[in-house]
Amino acid sequence: MSSNEKRGEAVDLSHHLSKVGQARQTSPLKGLHKYMGKPGLISLAGGLPNAAYFPFSSVSGNILAPDSFPLETDSRESSLSWFWRLFSRTDKERTSTFTVGKYSKHPGDLDLENGLQYGLATGQPKLNEIIREFVGKVFQPAYSNWTTLIHTGNTDAWSKTVQTILNPGDGLIVSEWTYPSAMAGAQPLGIIPVPIGMDSEGMSSISLRQTLSEWDESARGTPRPHVLYTVPIGQNPTGTTMGIRRKKEIYDICVEYGQPFFSPTFQDIIIVEDDPYYFLQQGKYIPKSDRVVDSATDDEAFIASLAPSYLKIDYQGRVIRLDTFSKTVCPGSRLGWFTCNPMFAERLERTAETSSQAPSGFTQIYVASLLLKWQYEGYLRWLKALRLQYKQRRDYFLDCFADEFHLQKKISSEGYTAGTHLYHASLKPRRSFVPLGEKDNAYSKPLFSFVPPSSGMFLWIELHLEEHPAFSSLGYKALEMKLWTEIAEAGVLFAPGAMFFAIPVEDDTLGYGHFRISFSNSTVSLLQKKLILV
């Protein structure tokens, strides 16, 4: 939809609210906050501490320049030399300073008097204003009355969402491999995961339609699910990237299918888009020998190069999007935002009023000051460079695999890797100064395989354990944990694959072992150590 076309408003989706979501009322005291901004108001209603007694006269900080990292790479340099240059930087960081005083000098300015006071569950107005501008320009929701609501990070945002739209006993549509913390947050509330098959783009629309069309409530013991949870970019754990065509296929299915609540006409599904890795879209992995220079792009080209959010095709307001500053600023900020229709936002606000209330005032002041200093163009400049930084980390890690193992690339046609370039890793022949026999010169059978991630922070490897003598008696789960334990005790910690399966893996579950390996936060020497121990 072009920016000149008139966009409709969200449709009524209130039938998706849980019993808890419907029952929430405005917090008696928080309901008074709507009057707090009235000029000349004398407030004697709330137990607000006097700002004169806040023991901070101001807060300040030094902010990196948004162009602190480059937008181009030199194809003549190895990724190793780039990393050494990064971790041995001697040039002084370029920074600018901000200071926020206790009292504002101009209306609308950030100040501690309001920023450190009990605040609105929607977040500080100035930060919300910045976020709303960013969402409109980058994600471009396809309906007119979308809104944003600040939250305390995606983990807490997901918890609030579950409470708002899911009842105990409801099914939850998820990818067969999925983020375990999301499941850990939902399952104690009686939510039942419904795994959907995957392929090269993540959740398969074919598998989703088949599951919904063949749903047997009596056999399943639960009604057809009406909520879908997805990490479409940098899918956790597989690192896939879902394009707009696949999103459109899934969105259209969600319009058709779902839980018939109060009327048979209510047959639709809400999409919860958990997207922390959105700006870490690195693209296809290119081997060192074929790699070319990464060139800088302007802002419009950068946004156009990213796989669009579900928001861009959400003409009905059925997407609840979770964004976070954890991967683009810092995870300790515990700060992010919802983008959704106003009905869901109002219910989520009621949930926040009696739980987290609002994110830390300090966090909001610091992040708002950062974004005000950088402005929209500066933040985009930072995000463009950030994507390149993580791309080079990914490339270096995979280059190490290519150096240490014999990699054979094939087109996969099975399971969650279907349609991808799948790399099988084998031991290279032994090196010797004397002639070796044919057996010594042969490559080993594949030890593991992987699909290079196109987004995110993780490499997902599949272990080939079937040749192990104990495979038939122990099964892959026990062998996976045995190998994981030995590597952990040697000093390197991976995430064992079984925890990422949507439903618990039993000892007799068919399949293969997996590890999720992060390439986001290691120095060169630690990355080299990982490869040696693998």
Side-chain angles (χ1 to χ4, degrees), residues 230-245:
T230 179
V231 182
I233 304 296
Q235 199 276 341
N236 196 349
T238 63
T240 59
T241 302
M242 185 180 289
I244 190 63
R245 181 175 178 179

Side-chain angles (χ1 to χ4, degrees), residues 281-294:
Q281 298 185 38
Q282 298 128 11
K284 182 180 178 182
Y285 169 71
I286 306 296
K288 271 191 298 186
S289 58
D290 301 325
R291 209 167 289 159
V292 296
V293 174
D294 285 299

